[in-house]
Amino acid sequence: NAGVTQTPKFQVLKTGQSMTLQCAQDMNHNSMYWYRQDPGMGLRLIYYSASEGTTDKGEVPNGYNVSRLNKREFSLRLESAAPSQTSVYFCASSDAFGDLKEKLFFGSGTQLSVL
Amino acid sequence: SQQGEEDPQALSIQEGENATMNCSYKTSINNLQWYRQNSGRGLVHLILIRSNEREKHSGRLRVTLDTSKKSSSLLITASRAADTASYFCATFPYGGSQGNLIFGKGTKLSVKP
């Protein structure tokens, strides 16, 4: 049972380059999230998808786009990377129903550097 | 829009001692959660306490919630070197929906053998 799988684990980009971070979960969860973690800032929500077919902006969506490809997969795209997007990115998922629907399951993260 | 704020920012203790971390928040909540993050890894859910609960236990973890003071504490008893990690509180606001969980900046715990 892999849980939440993110690829790649590390990436270095030049300013202006584009890339897509991939995320897949095998827990049949309805909701999926993308966070970024910066030193001293905690985790900040970029985008989330409450269910297949829907996406919503979080606290820091500028410079990013997302696609909920199907129930399992939720990708994050940087169209034109900027140094301010250097961060560690985490994907997470949660069930939409039940007693612990607010509990998040996290992937192991993608460390992204933009030069 | 930081909701939960952990205190202290860093804590260093000896193995076997107890570790206490605090979290304060600003608005009414549905529940409060604590997560652990080992260096270079994702966050792992530890415990969830609802607004109508005052105390909850899970193994060596004890969480308290005081909604009148808008604060929570996480106590790790008989700490071990393996407890070295960052600990985050996260609040789910009252009436919130998916996507509303807000994380604090974390407490970095170091347990020395």
Side-chain angles (χ1 to χ4, degrees), chain A residues 31 33 35 37 40-43 45 48 50 59 90 94-96 99-104 106-108, chain B residues 1-2 30-31 33 35 37 40-45 48 50 88 92 97-101 103-105:
Chain A
S31 302
Y33 312 81
Y35 287 89
Q37 184 177 35
M41 295 294 293
L43 272 79
L45 183 65
Y48 69 100
E59 183 184 353
F90 289 99
S94 67
D95 208 344
D99 288 343
L100 293 178
K101 63 179 182 292
E102 304 96 341
K103 171 183 172 181
L104 299 188
F106 282 85
S108 56
Chain B
S1 58
Q2 223 72 35
N30 178 292
N31 66 70
Q33 305 176 38
Y35 288 79
Q37 184 180 33
R41 307 299 297 270
L43 280 71
V44 174
H45 183 269
L48 180 153
R50 298 202 179 277
F88 295 86
F92 195 90
S97 58
Q98 304 301 93
N100 289 154
L101 192 65
F103 287 83
K105 297 178 182 179

Side-chain angles (χ1 to χ4, degrees), chain B residues 2-3 6 23 31-32 46 66 93 101 103 106 112:
Chain B
Q2 223 72 35
Q3 161 80 307
E6 292 90 343
C23 173
N31 66 70
L32 185 145
L46 294 176
D66 187 333
L101 192 65
F103 287 83
K112 300 186 188 308

Side-chain angles (χ1 to χ4, degrees), chain A residues 31-100:
Chain A
S31 302
M32 298 185 73
Y33 312 81
W34 277 105
Y35 287 89
R36 61 178 288 174
Q37 184 177 35
D38 301 294
M41 295 294 293
L43 272 79
R44 292 183 292 170
L45 183 65
I46 305 171
Y47 270 94
Y48 69 100
S49 171
S51 61
E52 187 179 356
T54 68
T55 59
D56 286 284
K57 295 178 180 179
E59 183 184 353
V60 288
N62 291 344
Y64 306 95
N65 285 302
V66 290
S67 295
R68 184 73 183 265
L69 304 169
N70 48 55
K71 191 172 185 179
R72 289 187 64 249
E73 298 171 288
F74 188 39
S75 63
L76 178 71
R77 182 160 179 85
L78 288 71
E79 290 291 352
S80 179
S84 61
Q85 294 178 304
T86 293
S87 188
V88 182
Y89 291 85
F90 289 99
C91 178
S93 69
S94 67
D95 208 344
F97 308 100
D99 288 343
L100 293 178

